[in-house]
Amino acid sequence: MAIHELSALLWRERELLDVLTFKLEEEQLLLTSGKSRWLPHGTREVEQVLGHLSQASLARTIEAAVVAEMWGLPTDATLGELAEAAPEGAWAEVLSAHLAALTRQTALIKELRDANEQYLRTAVRSTQESLADLRPATPGTYDAHGKTGESAGSRIFDKQF
């Protein structure tokens, strides 16, 4: 039956979302520990999981359209609509459980993505500030005392001490 295949595809998608969550947490550990040299490998792994997830999502969408058509729904029916229209009580519960789990996993992935993006922005800003301090001061700029010369950029250590 198509509903059995749909349920199997939903399990596969949930497994891939778990792997994606793991890979994003790995990236976050790399970012917070300063091990940026491994970041390209982590990013590549995230992209691979996203590719598998895209294929799984497409297969699920096709199978959901078959189930929707069998149950007299439009072929673009959502998972929630399928759960509501399920002819057997057990399938309504199964589809609702899948929907709840997918929603939770998606929210967690969004939080991880946003946190990782913030860590990356902070790292880029820090790198830019460090590089700015390495450049000699440009003529015509003034420091807090009205003198030209030394850069008044950000510093890790206060040179006055």
Side-chain angles (χ1 to χ4, degrees):
M1 271 187 102
I3 185 63
H4 293 287
E5 183 65 23
L6 176 60
S7 182
L9 290 169
L10 287 166
W11 276 114
R12 174 71 178 137
E13 197 167 356
R14 286 173 63 178
E15 290 171 356
L16 287 169
L17 287 172
D18 280 341
V19 173
L20 180 59
T21 302
F22 172 72
K23 293 299 179 184
L24 288 171
E25 286 182 0
E26 264 185 345
E27 264 191 350
Q28 192 172 83
L29 290 171
L30 290 171
L31 288 165
T32 57
S33 69
K35 304 286 185 184
S36 59
R37 80 177 231 199
W38 299 114
L39 204 52
H41 294 290
T43 302
R44 190 174 324 112
E45 290 175 351
V46 167
E47 289 170 354
Q48 288 172 348
V49 174
L50 287 172
H52 294 303
L53 192 56
S54 177
Q55 292 170 352
S57 179
L58 178 61
R60 184 216 358 120
T61 300
I62 292 168
E63 201 62 38
V66 171
V67 171
E69 191 173 351
M70 288 174 49
W71 290 353
L73 297 172
T75 56
D76 62 345
T78 64
L79 190 53
E81 292 169 343
L82 287 173
E84 288 176 16
E88 303 171 28
W91 283 116
E93 291 177 29
V94 168
L95 294 175
S96 294
H98 279 303
L99 178 59
L102 290 168
T103 302
R104 279 191 309 272
Q105 286 177 302
T106 303
L108 177 59
I109 288 168
K110 182 183 180 310
E111 288 175 21
L112 284 168
R113 181 207 61 201
D114 292 347
N116 287 358
E117 183 180 345
Q118 188 60 38
Y119 286 126
L120 281 169
R121 287 181 192 275
T122 302
V124 166
R125 190 176 321 114
S126 175
T127 302
Q128 288 172 337
E129 289 175 359
S130 296
L131 289 174
D133 284 344
L134 295 176
R135 292 187 206 124
T138 56
T141 58
Y142 297 94
D143 63 13
H145 303 289
K147 297 180 183 176
T148 62
E150 187 177 329
S151 171
S154 63
R155 304 233 189 302
I156 295 176
F157 300 103
D158 189 351
K159 288 187 174 183
Q160 292 178 352
F161 291 109

